[in-house]
Amino acid sequence: MIKKNNVFIVAEAGNNHEGDFSIAKKLIDKACESGADAIKFQTYDVDNFIDPKFIKSYKKFKKFSLSYEQFYKLSKYCKKKKIIFFSTPFDLKSAIFLNKIQKIFKISSGDNNFTDLIKLIARFNKHLIISTGLLDLNGLEDVYKIVKKIRGANLKLSFLHCVSSYPAPLEQLNLSNIRLIKEKFNDVNVGLSDHTIGTKAPLYAVLAGASIIEKHFTLDNKFSSFRDHALSLNPKNFKIMVDQIREAEKILGEKRKIILPLEKKNIISMRRSAYASRNLRKGQILKRNDIVYLRPGGGLNEEEVKKILGKMIKVKLNKTSSIKKIYFK
């Protein structure tokens, strides 16, 4: 499901629809136009997510919630629009529902220590993406072991480096952790779940080796006072980010060191080959100081010259004459 050769770019719509189904569909439309590979929402039963005594938070998430039927319709709409749909479950019941309609799961940083949820989703045996905010390396290793114990070699696991601050300051993003996680867990895909403002961090993350980018997405940064809109990218800026990442992919190219076709035309002009360092007589024995290596190439290289050192020269050679095997016996 996650592309092997390209960065997998996720538009994190989250709750930026604010409970309006029509806005959720518009987010899908704009994510498609912006070039996202996938769009992700958040699915929850608020009574299994927020303590009702936290009245403000409970009411907000209650208002923002969409029904399971609405998520089913959104998944079908994504299929029609040819964009991957998935949603982060925030409770076990929602995870079981989402297993019927999606092929990728995401666990948020807030729940990366919620072992019941991790174990449940691990048993679904679908690609699992886990954000790593609020964890140190030891905590991340604990998460890895939970999934590994259930899935064995067929891990299908990704970790997203994440700083759980909204917004996260660029100077505290520590993108070097992408390489650290890749080195520590060499059978895991690694990416970035980004909460910074702007498009710099995702681009730098790709240069640091990220294969997944998740970035918050909104129709309008001033849509409402809900925090996530301000730190999200609007469709115009999300498209800029996607274009930057796709350009970076081209520049990074493939992991294979070969002589490129466009280099081959320069091989002779840029390489050196053997020439006479001075006038050489017929019958003379060739010595190393009789040779100088000059551009252009096309003649004998150093290894080939070793095979004729000590041999007799059959013809007279002027200084800077190209050295050829046929001149020796």
Side-chain angles (χ1 to χ4, degrees):
M1 179 58 63
I2 290 180
K3 298 178 181 180
K4 292 182 178 179
N5 298 319
N6 295 313
V7 177
F8 186 69
I9 301 176
V10 181
E12 162 63 310
N15 287 308
N16 280 345
H17 50 74
E18 298 192 19
D20 187 325
F21 181 72
S22 65
I23 295 297
K25 289 184 73 175
K26 286 180 182 177
L27 283 163
I28 293 170
D29 292 337
K30 292 299 181 181
C32 288
E33 292 173 16
S34 299
D37 295 304
I39 185 166
K40 189 183 78 65
F41 295 94
Q42 296 176 2
T43 305
Y44 53 85
D45 172 4
V46 70
D47 291 311
N48 286 306
F49 177 37
I50 304 291
D51 184 342
K53 293 193 292 294
F54 289 83
I55 297 171
K56 185 177 178 181
S57 183
Y58 182 88
K59 284 184 175 180
K60 179 181 73 175
F61 281 99
K62 185 77 170 177
K63 176 187 174 185
F64 286 0
S65 65
L66 294 172
S67 69
Y68 289 170
E69 178 62 24
Q70 287 173 317
F71 277 115
Y72 172 74
K73 290 178 179 177
L74 290 176
S75 71
K76 299 293 283 185
Y77 189 64
C78 283
K79 190 173 183 179
K80 177 182 175 183
K81 298 292 290 186
K82 297 182 179 178
I83 187 171
I84 295 170
F85 164 92
F86 66 112
S87 187
T88 296
F90 284 92
D91 59 87
L92 303 181
K93 179 183 173 185
S94 295
I96 292 167
F97 159 72
L98 288 170
N99 191 37
K100 301 173 185 176
I101 64 170
Q102 66 185 32
K103 295 182 179 180
I104 301 175
F105 271 88
K106 165 76 189 301
I107 291 175
S108 72
S109 292
D111 284 336
N112 58 28
N113 68 339
F114 186 5
T115 55
D116 284 351
L117 182 63
I118 295 170
K119 288 177 180 179
L120 175 67
I121 295 174
R123 292 188 185 100
F124 294 156
N125 203 32
K126 293 179 177 177
H127 197 101
L128 175 55
I129 303 171
I130 302 178
S131 278
T132 65
L134 310 175
L135 286 177
D136 60 16
L137 197 58
N138 290 331
L140 190 54
E141 189 164 11
D142 291 339
V143 174
Y144 174 86
K145 287 177 180 177
I146 291 170
V147 180
K148 184 78 171 178
K149 185 175 181 180
I150 293 171
R151 294 191 169 184
N154 189 25
L155 205 56
K156 291 188 287 188
L157 177 64
S158 296
F159 285 148
L160 300 189
H161 172 58
C162 178
V163 175
S164 296
S165 178
Y166 306 88
L170 280 169
E171 64 273 15
Q172 294 189 44
L173 200 55
N174 296 314
L175 289 180
S176 292
N177 279 314
I178 291 171
R179 291 196 183 99
L180 176 65
I181 296 170
K182 285 168 76 81
E183 291 166 3
K184 180 70 174 176
F185 308 100
N186 57 21
D187 53 353
V188 170
N189 294 311
V190 183
L192 173 71
S193 177
D194 185 38
H195 301 136
T196 65
I197 302 295
T199 65
K200 283 184 178 180
L203 178 60
Y204 295 160
V206 170
L207 299 178
S211 58
I212 306 170
I213 295 295
E214 178 187 83
K215 183 72 176 178
H216 282 251
F217 183 65
T218 183
L219 296 178
D220 186 341
N221 295 108
K222 296 181 180 179
F223 188 87
S224 76
S225 60
F226 177 46
R227 175 200 66 190
D228 283 13
H229 294 295
L231 60 86
S232 298
L233 292 181
N234 59 42
K236 178 182 177 181
N237 289 331
F238 199 94
K239 179 66 166 60
I240 289 171
M241 180 196 75
V242 170
D243 289 345
Q244 288 173 336
I245 290 172
R246 297 307 179 214
E247 182 178 45
E249 285 179 309
K250 291 177 183 177
I251 295 170
L252 288 169
E254 302 177 57
K255 284 185 178 179
R256 58 188 185 110
K257 188 68 179 88
I258 62 170
I259 300 172
L260 297 172
L262 57 84
E263 291 182 295
K264 288 180 179 178
K265 66 181 181 181
N266 295 322
I267 287 178
I268 292 177
S269 64
M270 294 182 67
R271 291 296 194 200
R272 296 172 186 256
S273 60
Y275 292 81
S277 64
R278 55 191 173 186
N279 295 331
L280 300 176
R281 302 184 313 276
K282 180 179 178 181
Q284 186 176 332
I285 300 300
L286 184 71
K287 298 178 180 178
R288 174 61 186 86
N289 59 5
D290 295 327
I291 301 293
V292 63
Y293 292 95
L294 305 173
R295 290 185 181 184
L300 300 184
N301 61 35
E302 290 178 271
E303 286 302 312
E304 291 169 322
V305 166
K306 288 178 183 178
K307 296 176 183 178
I308 60 172
L309 287 176
K311 291 188 175 183
M312 184 181 294
I313 305 171
K314 296 193 296 185
V315 295
K316 178 184 175 182
L317 294 174
N318 293 324
K319 184 178 180 180
T320 70
S321 294
S322 178
I323 301 295
K324 302 183 186 295
K325 286 181 181 179
I326 59 172
Y327 297 158
F328 302 89
K329 62 179 179 180

